[in-house]
Amino acid sequence: MDSQGGPFVSAGNMMARSNLKMLGRRVVAGREAVGFRCPFASAPNDAKRWNADFWIDAENKQLVEHQVPGMDIIDPDKVYDEPLQGVYSGFRLYDITFDVPLDDELFRLDSPKGFELQVVGTPSAKEPDVVEFLRSVALVLGGTFPDQMPNFSQGNAHELISQLNGKAKDDLTSAETMLQTIRQRYLRPDGPIEDFINHSIESSTWKYLGDEVKLGDKDEIVCWYRPRNSRTYRVIYGDLSIKDLMPSDLPLPVAR
């Protein structure tokens, strides 16, 4: 298998490692396959319990199945009564086949009959969008801002926010519904924050200080940034009020 690129490059890299465990043989999608297990060098939680299985066609040596974490940790065909410790997500790629002939008609970009193509741009995040998102996150977290922003896939809020994806729409609170709506609008876990940082403010001027700040605290700073072509910084406080401050008025040295 070519490990230089493509959707299975990670499996190719694992197969190239020097330390693997053989799993024997089994039939995968009608093909006899040989299995191997590769431990991860690092893991989300317990490195000793995090690995990957891959199964290779015994005849042509091509990948036919890839699973992370391995079958010794989670069986995708089994229903578990309780969450598995240290396992929050995974995947199983099954019946992988290479060089399958495909009809060119499958790749036509013409609109189907009765439909028109509508090009919709990514929403451009503005300051009110950031304030709305900060408010919704704090409400979902019980009135406290998260310890990081962006990098919303890490930190103390990650597990709680991640649980929203598994909730039925009717089970969401009003605050959770608001947060999910904003995240889906921007197709990002951190909502408008990344877009706002990349396109609306001066480079390297975003500073987040909201860890353990309570929603409604008018004296505590949540974040600041300098809008493009501006000499002053915008400072957002715990009550989501905003002030313009000169660089010399901020509690940390910043770019002028």
Side-chain angles (χ1 to χ4, degrees):
M1 185 180 71
D2 182 7
S3 62
Q4 298 302 310
F8 307 112
V9 62
S10 62
N13 291 337
M14 291 177 185
M15 283 187 275
R17 292 186 181 181
S18 57
N19 297 307
L20 300 174
K21 178 181 179 180
M22 291 196 69
L23 302 178
R25 292 178 176 242
R26 59 185 269 256
V27 176
V28 177
R31 291 173 280 176
E32 185 176 6
V34 182
F36 298 86
R37 178 165 295 147
C38 175
F40 276 12
S42 59
N45 292 282
D46 185 355
K48 295 179 180 179
R49 285 179 47 80
W50 204 255
N51 51 32
D53 291 354
F54 51 89
W55 293 82
I56 309 300
D57 189 304
E59 182 176 346
N60 60 26
K61 305 301 187 291
Q62 289 186 332
L63 184 69
V64 294
E65 182 179 314
H66 182 35
Q67 177 179 320
V68 177
M71 288 281 288
D72 61 327
I73 298 177
I74 184 169
D75 183 348
D77 297 321
K78 178 180 178 181
V79 177
Y80 293 86
D81 295 330
E82 299 291 337
L84 297 178
Q85 183 177 5
V87 180
Y88 297 99
S89 64
F91 65 84
R92 183 189 193 191
L93 307 178
Y94 181 79
D95 194 10
I96 301 170
T97 306
F98 294 87
D99 301 322
V100 177
L102 297 174
D103 191 335
D104 290 341
E105 289 294 311
L106 296 173
F107 300 93
R108 291 183 58 186
L109 300 180
D110 301 333
S111 300
K113 185 177 180 181
F115 291 83
E116 295 181 358
L117 176 64
Q118 182 180 7
V119 179
V120 179
T122 303
S124 179
K126 305 298 182 185
E127 187 175 80
D129 303 313
V130 172
V131 172
E132 179 189 36
F133 185 70
L134 290 172
R135 183 195 306 277
S136 65
V137 172
L139 288 173
V140 169
L141 297 179
T144 303
F145 293 96
D147 61 344
Q148 299 185 54
M149 185 73 70
N151 298 325
F152 208 53
S153 60
Q154 306 173 24
N156 62 2
H158 170 58
E159 183 171 355
L160 181 59
I161 300 299
S162 296
Q163 291 174 359
L164 299 184
N165 296 328
K167 274 191 172 184
K169 186 176 180 179
D170 292 340
D171 294 334
L172 295 174
T173 66
S174 58
E176 292 171 343
T177 299
M178 179 191 303
L179 178 58
Q180 288 294 76
T181 299
I182 297 172
R183 296 172 73 199
Q184 291 166 7
R185 185 189 311 159
Y186 291 91
L187 301 178
R188 294 188 59 89
D190 54 15
I193 303 298
E194 194 76 33
D195 179 79
F196 183 73
I197 292 173
N198 291 335
H199 301 107
S200 298
I201 67 176
E202 295 289 351
S203 176
S204 302
T205 64
W206 172 270
K207 177 67 68 177
Y208 181 78
L209 302 166
D211 186 15
E212 297 187 357
V213 173
K214 300 296 184 182
L215 179 64
D217 192 333
K218 62 182 180 61
D219 298 317
E220 292 291 334
I221 295 175
V222 174
C223 63
W224 69 59
Y225 46 85
R226 181 157 61 90
R228 290 188 175 181
N229 303 317
S230 173
R231 297 180 58 189
T232 59
Y233 278 73
R234 299 283 281 172
V235 182
I236 301 180
Y237 292 84
D239 63 350
L240 300 179
S241 62
I242 304 175
K243 296 180 181 179
D244 287 297
L245 295 182
M246 296 298 295
S248 59
D249 295 325
L250 296 173
L252 286 174
V254 294
R256 296 176 179 269

